[in-house]
Amino acid sequence: LQAAVQQDPTNVEAAHELIEIYRLVGANEEQLRLTNELLTRNPADARAMGDKAIALSRMDRAAEARDATLDAVRLAPENHRLHLILLQ
C-alpha cells in the first residue's frame, strides 16, 4: 500500500487503508503524517480528521487530539465513531 500511495497520492482509499494499518501497528508518527497529507488536499475529510485525532491521542497530545476530534464531528456529525472517539 505504501507504494500505491507514493505512486498515486490522490488514491484516497489506499491512503485510508494504509492509515488503518499504521493505526493497528501503533505507527502513530506515520499515521499522523499521512492524515496531515490527506487533510492538506481535502480539509473536509472527516475520516482523516478522526484518524488524526487517534494518532494525536496515542502520542499524548490530548489538547490537539480533542480539537481534531471536534473538527471531525463538525465535518460528519452523523458519524457515531467520531462521537465515541470524543468520549474517550
Side-chain angles (χ1 to χ4, degrees):
L1 279 174
Q2 287 175 328
V5 172
Q6 287 174 346
Q7 186 177 2
D8 182 7
T10 64
N11 187 340
V12 175
E13 281 309 309
H16 279 296
E17 288 179 33
L18 185 55
I19 288 167
E20 180 68 11
I21 291 169
Y22 288 149
R23 184 185 65 76
L24 291 172
V25 299
N28 302 318
E29 295 285 342
E30 291 300 314
Q31 180 182 353
L32 182 60
R33 178 192 57 76
L34 190 51
T35 57
N36 282 333
E37 289 176 16
L38 284 178
L39 290 166
T40 297
R41 287 191 293 281
N42 180 10
D45 186 336
R47 183 174 171 189
M49 190 63 74
D51 289 329
K52 177 178 181 173
I54 291 169
L56 289 167
S57 178
R58 290 180 172 190
M59 297 166 72
D60 294 323
R61 294 166 59 178
E64 292 171 272
R66 186 174 193 289
D67 290 345
T69 304
L70 289 171
D71 288 342
V73 169
R74 284 187 200 106
L75 291 169
E78 72 288 350
N79 186 330
H80 299 291
R81 174 180 168 254
L82 299 173
H83 293 274
L84 292 174
I85 293 168
L86 189 58
L87 293 174
Q88 293 179 359

